[in-house]
Amino acid sequence: MNSPNDTATPKTGQNRSKLFVPEPPFRPGDTPDFSHIRIPADHSPGRPDPMVDAYDTEPQATGLVRVLRLDGTIAGEWNPKLDADTLREGLRHMMLTRCVDTRMFSMQRQGKMSFYMKSAGEEAVAVASAMAINKTDMVFPTYRQQGILMARGWPLKELMCQCLSNAGDKLEGRSIPVLYSVRDHGFFSISGNLGTQMIQAVGWGMACAYKGEDGIAVAFTGEGATAEGDFHYALNFASTYRAPVILNVVNNQWAISSFQGIAAGQGKSFAFRGLGFGLASIRVDGNDFLAVYAATKWAAERARRGGGTTVIEHFTYRKEGHSTSDDPTKYRPKSEPDAWPFGDPIERLKGHLIVLGEWDETRHEELHKALTIEVRESYKEAEALGTLATPSKINPASMFEEVFEDVPTHLRRQRQEMGV
Amino acid sequence: MAQMNMIEAIRSALDVKLSQDPDVLIFGEDVGYFGGVFRCTAGLQEKHGLHRVFDTPIAEGGIVGAAVGMAAFGLRPCIEIQFADYIYPGYDQICSEAARMRYRSAGEFTSPLTIRTPVGGGIHGGQTHSQSPEALFTHIAGIKTIIPSNPYDAKGLLIKAIEDNDPVLFLEPKRLYNGPFEGDPNIPAVSWAGHELGEVPEGHYTIDFEKARLHTQGSALTIICYGTMVWVAEAAAKAAGIEADILDLRSLMPLDLDSIIKSVKKTGRCMVLHEATRTSGFGAELIAEIQEHCFYALEAPIVRVTGWDTPYPHALEWEYFPGKARVTKAITKMMEG
Ligand SMILES: Cc1ncc(C[n+]2csc(CCOP(=O)(O)OP(=O)(O)O)c2C)c(N)n1
Ligand SMILES: [Mg+2]
């Protein structure tokens, strides 16, 4: 008896298809060589008017928008012409982000918290985006845009208390570390379920448009999670209803251990996906603070002028592990982060400021020291309110609250059963 | 008071809320110009405008996801999923997002959205237009599940749902849209015309959740049911010649456990009815609670009559549906025991 799933099709060799499973260019043991990636020095695609026809952004969607050369000089049409104070502010936010990440990672290693996620190498994406939009614009982040919170000045102690799930955690220890929710800083509650925020951001943008409010929604996803249906719903709804939204795809080359090609397939770029939906689309050098800033400004202007949604792919690189729970040397060469040809976003902005004569190594070192102290002091204050290793001070009864607006009868009964 | 069928009562509820509250928006597949495949939104776009009542792409995950974003913003979207059988692409946004938003953000963001969707069989809908997935939602912390059995309740509960600050799944038993149904396909269909529960106020009123409705009173037996099965229960009790407390739950989550306990303690016998598949169905939950609270009052084992644990078959729809004949037989057997 054949089972109904037996393949009974003839095998005559007429079908030449071979199942294709993409693999990253380098695995552990290989010497990474990215010389095939052309780094455009002067040929960044031009900056069209923000109200350009979406389909005319094809050069931007397939090329790479850049402002900063690797030597710290600038080129092309996208220079946002920021003054030195703003550049130094951006540098500070990025350095603070990395400083916090370093501290929290080591505290996780010491057992003070269950988990942590760094954003090393991607600080420009979060910080420059945040600086290019209004503070009242709602961002719908993933777990790797903590730089937005630095740029918007959320007190470090509050961030740290969330990670420590301690008595100072406004979210009452309900979520794992880094899944922040900071409404008063325009930072939407982070979901653990990848991709869901993209279509929610479009709904938020639609609401802004319906109410005639100034705000826009600015969403982020990793490149891996663009494969989720929610991303495609977002593109479709954004296009249909011309929602004032920016949909950012942070292409950091890796989704845990899967390289970007698993999600990308034969796509020309992640930005190019936007064009298929009739959305303006830009691929930007995500390690170039000025380019991220300029592209975001452009997209925000387009959104506020009624031009609808822009898709921005940030081409960057995840320099460290996915989280505290993995070891990247198990799936990629140890030297790959250093071989990555687009440099480090902090070093690049620093280099630019030095070229401008607005910064030097001594000031950089002093700032780094000052930030380290600031982070250490904040952490001390946060830790005084408890860690994962100390007995929790969170009231157990709070577990039953905010499931609904009011505690319904069955939850009251369960609360009694638990004895609190 | 006006005479309304369930479709008109639902439309009237939507109309009342659209008129009262500019933050209420309605969207879903074919709900705009056309007015929905069951006509529940007919005329609402014309009356309230394209921005208030509009069509969406065929993407249930997108419909719910966009509604979650709007609701977090502060609007009150009331969305339609064309058939409950098509709610699954939106399941993640309902369970992981809408239902969790208040909790995970400690109240910073909430999800005051209503999801309307037709459920149940009896209209030759086959596997893909007949399902009753209520238990997949009552199992989820943070979402309310409501199911009316008549026009009067439908309107009052729907207005309540739209005004509620938590996400509400509003299940519409499609076999009851045009009239009550005894669960016997050989009897000609009746309409809501002239029916007491088809008398519906034209203006605003609400019905509280967590309050079951005592549909008929009797001392022989308690029948716990909701949606279409309320009418089947009434016909079956009559056919079996007994007087039963028929409890129409209306609200599955939160559940009016007190009314259930009170009735079962009074009658000493209990039957649980639903159209959905049996295993892990909402009946299992009811029975667990009843035995815990009423064990010493029970004179016989609790009986449940449900749809079979199969997909909803097309040609054998009436063999699947727990109709009047099957329920009558079960009552008779139970009363003999
Ligand atoms: C729906 C869902 N599926 C799987 C996961 C587990 N998961 C967490 S992060 C991750 C990788 C995401 O990669 P990417 O989108 O590229 O973002 P990145 O981590 O690189 O910033 C996976 C698979 C999840 N959280 N949610
Ligand atoms: Mg990634």
Side-chain angles (χ1 to χ4, degrees):
Chain A
M1 276 285 281
N2 280 350
S3 98
N5 290 337
D6 278 353
T7 57
T9 58
K11 292 189 174 74
T12 61
Q14 286 174 25
N15 179 346
R16 307 277 173 82
S17 303
K18 290 262 185 293
L19 177 66
F20 176 72
V21 180
E23 268 283 275
F26 313 110
R27 285 295 194 189
D30 296 336
T31 304
D33 173 7
F34 291 107
S35 56
H36 63 285
I37 295 183
R38 204 174 54 87
I39 300 184
D42 292 314
H43 304 289
S44 173
R47 182 184 185 279
D49 183 89
M51 293 306 278
V52 68
D53 185 289
Y55 293 110
D56 290 337
T57 59
E58 185 171 342
Q60 287 74 23
T62 50
L64 192 67
V65 166
R66 302 181 79 224
V67 175
L68 275 178
R69 293 197 188 95
L70 292 178
D71 66 5
T73 61
I74 54 178
E77 296 174 14
W78 288 84
N79 181 7
K81 303 202 174 82
L82 300 176
D83 60 38
D85 282 341
T86 309
L87 294 175
R88 280 188 290 259
E89 189 192 328
L91 182 68
R92 183 182 195 283
H93 295 323
M94 291 200 286
M95 290 170 70
L96 178 62
T97 305
R98 194 166 293 181
C99 218
V100 169
D101 281 356
T102 307
R103 178 84 195 182
M104 299 305 269
F105 191 93
S106 63
M107 292 303 102
Q108 192 277 341
R109 287 291 184 255
Q110 288 183 25
K112 308 281 188 184
M113 63 191 86
S114 60
F115 179 76
Y116 192 73
M117 297 178 97
K118 289 181 164 186
S119 64
E122 303 172 40
E123 292 92 344
V125 174
V127 170
S129 297
M131 288 175 69
I133 58 175
N134 297 341
K135 289 213 162 168
T136 45
D137 294 330
M138 185 60 72
V139 300
F140 288 73
T142 77
Y143 43 72
R144 231 184 279 285
Q145 279 82 48
Q146 52 267 56
I148 294 170
L149 292 167
M150 310 299 155
R152 287 185 164 177
W154 194 37
L156 293 184
K157 183 180 155 193
E158 292 200 32
L159 176 148
M160 292 165 169
C161 285
Q162 194 283 334
C163 292
L164 291 162
S165 255
N166 67 16
D169 175 12
K170 279 194 313 165
L171 305 183
E172 310 200 48
R174 288 187 186 142
S175 290
I176 58 167
V178 315
L179 298 190
Y180 313 110
S181 175
V182 199
R183 186 166 189 145
D184 60 4
H185 285 69
F187 196 88
F188 194 73
S189 161
I190 302 176
S191 176
N193 294 46
L194 294 176
T196 51
Q197 74 281 7
M198 302 309 278
I199 177 66
Q200 292 166 3
V202 173
W204 185 283
M206 289 169 72
C208 292
Y210 172 72
K211 296 292 270 185
E213 293 191 5
D214 297 338
I216 62 172
V218 182
F220 294 81
T221 174
E223 89 294 340
T226 61
E228 293 284 1
D230 299 87
F231 177 68
H232 300 264
Y233 303 146
L235 295 177
N236 200 153
F237 279 60
S239 173
T240 301
Y241 302 109
R242 259 184 240 168
V245 176
I246 303 174
L247 296 174
N248 293 290
V249 177
V250 186
N251 178 3
N252 63 6
Q253 313 303 321
W254 291 94
I256 308 186
S257 71
S258 305
F259 87 118
Q260 54 81 26
I262 297 288
Q266 304 304 316
K268 275 192 185 174
S269 71
F270 287 96
F272 198 68
R273 302 247 200 263
L275 285 183
F277 286 87
L279 299 174
S281 302
I282 303 175
R283 187 162 169 265
V284 59
D285 178 349
N287 290 10
D288 176 344
F289 179 90
L290 295 177
V292 172
Y293 185 97
T296 307
K297 263 270 182 261
W298 186 96
E301 180 181 339
R302 181 177 176 88
R304 272 188 254 275
R305 284 171 65 185
T309 296
T310 300
V311 176
I312 304 177
E313 173 184 348
H314 301 266
F315 195 69
T316 181
Y317 188 86
R318 196 195 77 209
K319 288 180 87 166
E320 305 224 14
H322 171 71
S323 71
T324 44
S325 310
D326 84 325
D327 171 4
T329 64
K330 292 276 196 301
Y331 50 79
R332 71 183 189 192
K334 198 180 163 90
S335 59
E336 194 178 281
D338 295 325
W340 185 247
F342 288 88
D344 179 277
I346 294 178
E347 291 304 313
R348 283 177 65 189
L349 186 57
K350 171 188 166 195
H352 177 56
L353 275 162
I354 291 175
V355 166
L356 291 179
E358 295 285 352
W359 199 243
D360 56 52
E361 292 292 348
T362 322
R363 288 171 79 181
H364 196 81
E365 197 40 50
E366 278 167 9
L367 177 58
H368 180 73
K369 268 194 205 133
L371 292 174
T372 309
I373 292 168
E374 182 183 335
V375 169
R376 190 168 58 213
E377 293 308 311
S378 300
Y379 183 78
K380 268 192 207 148
E381 284 179 43
E383 206 192 272
L385 295 171
T387 74
L388 193 68
T390 59
S392 177
K393 291 201 186 86
I394 293 169
N395 178 2
S398 73
M399 191 194 321
F400 298 95
E401 282 154 23
E402 287 165 328
V403 180
F404 296 99
E405 184 177 34
D406 303 310
V407 183
T409 319
H410 72 288
L411 285 181
R412 266 179 230 284
R413 286 202 176 103
Q414 290 174 29
R415 191 170 61 192
Q416 278 162 14
E417 190 179 327
M418 198 174 90
V420 290
Chain B
M1 284 288 182
Q3 186 64 50
M4 295 187 201
N5 64 26
M6 203 143 132
I7 294 166
E8 291 159 340
I10 287 163
R11 189 187 303 143
S12 173
L14 297 173
D15 189 25
V16 165
K17 285 316 296 176
L18 282 165
S19 304
Q20 270 186 351
D21 183 353
D23 288 341
V24 172
L25 297 187
I26 291 174
F27 50 98
E29 294 156 20
D30 304 299
V31 304
Y33 184 86
F34 176 60
V37 295
F38 288 104
R39 321 298 303 139
C40 288
T41 56
L44 295 179
Q45 183 180 75
E46 198 184 4
K47 180 170 175 190
H48 297 280
L50 196 60
H51 292 120
R52 307 287 308 280
V53 183
F54 56 87
D55 292 331
T56 61
I58 304 167
E60 293 73 15
I63 296 168
V64 181
V68 170
M70 288 181 184
F73 179 94
L75 302 185
R76 285 189 186 273
C78 178
I79 57 178
E80 176 176 307
I81 300 296
Q82 202 160 72
F83 288 85
D85 312 67
Y86 308 132
I87 205 164
Y88 308 115
Y91 195 60
D92 184 45
Q93 284 284 349
I94 297 171
C95 301
S96 316
E97 302 296 317
R100 304 272 169 75
M101 196 60 74
R102 180 189 296 279
Y103 197 74
R104 79 178 198 215
S105 71
E108 283 193 342
F109 297 95
T110 58
S111 262
L113 63 96
T114 304
I115 304 166
R116 294 180 35 244
T117 190
V119 293
I123 61 147
H124 309 295
Q127 297 169 41
T128 53
H129 303 85
S130 307
Q131 295 167 40
S132 296
E134 65 272 12
L136 296 176
F137 296 94
T138 55
H139 193 58
I140 301 301
I143 182 161
K144 298 177 180 174
T145 300
I146 304 299
I147 177 165
S149 70
N150 60 76
Y152 180 86
D153 284 357
K155 180 170 174 183
L157 289 166
L158 181 53
I159 292 178
K160 180 81 183 164
I162 295 172
E163 293 176 354
D164 197 280
N165 289 328
D166 290 309
V168 180
L169 180 70
F170 190 83
L171 305 174
E172 302 174 0
K174 63 177 92 68
R175 178 67 214 215
L176 300 181
Y177 272 146
N178 290 303
F181 177 59
E182 295 195 353
D184 181 347
N186 301 312
I187 296 176
V190 290
S191 84
W192 288 108
H195 202 287
E196 197 189 338
L197 290 165
E199 289 286 316
V200 179
E202 275 165 295
H204 177 280
Y205 68 95
T206 60
I207 295 173
D208 283 349
F209 296 165
E210 206 175 332
K211 282 218 163 43
R213 182 179 66 89
L214 194 56
H215 182 68
T216 64
Q217 269 195 56
S219 52
L221 167 69
T222 299
I223 305 180
I224 301 173
C225 49
Y226 47 90
T228 312
M229 298 310 290
V230 172
W231 301 97
V232 177
E234 183 185 342
K238 205 185 265 169
I242 59 138
E243 302 209 318
D245 263 8
I246 297 180
L247 268 184
D248 174 2
L249 293 179
R250 304 196 290 196
S251 166
L252 306 186
M253 171 59 70
L255 181 68
D256 181 2
L257 191 57
D258 291 341
S259 293
I260 294 172
I261 294 171
K262 195 172 142 207
S263 175
V264 175
K265 284 196 170 157
K266 179 184 89 177
T267 64
R269 285 173 200 270
C270 180
M271 171 176 280
V272 170
L273 292 185
H274 59 63
E275 194 182 329
T277 44
R278 178 174 303 176
T279 302
S280 305
F282 193 65
E285 175 61 31
L286 291 169
I287 292 167
E289 289 287 358
I290 294 164
Q291 73 80 24
E292 185 176 333
H293 294 280
C294 309
F295 185 77
Y296 296 104
L298 286 171
E299 289 163 27
I302 305 165
V303 170
R304 65 178 153 166
V305 184
T306 69
W308 308 121
D309 282 348
T310 69
Y312 217 119
H314 183 233
L316 297 176
E317 172 159 48
W318 298 115
E319 279 73 16
Y320 177 93
F321 185 89
K324 182 169 146 187
R326 201 192 307 165
V327 177
T328 307
K329 205 171 133 195
I331 295 175
T332 308
K333 189 171 164 212
M334 186 178 177
M335 297 312 290
E336 280 164 2

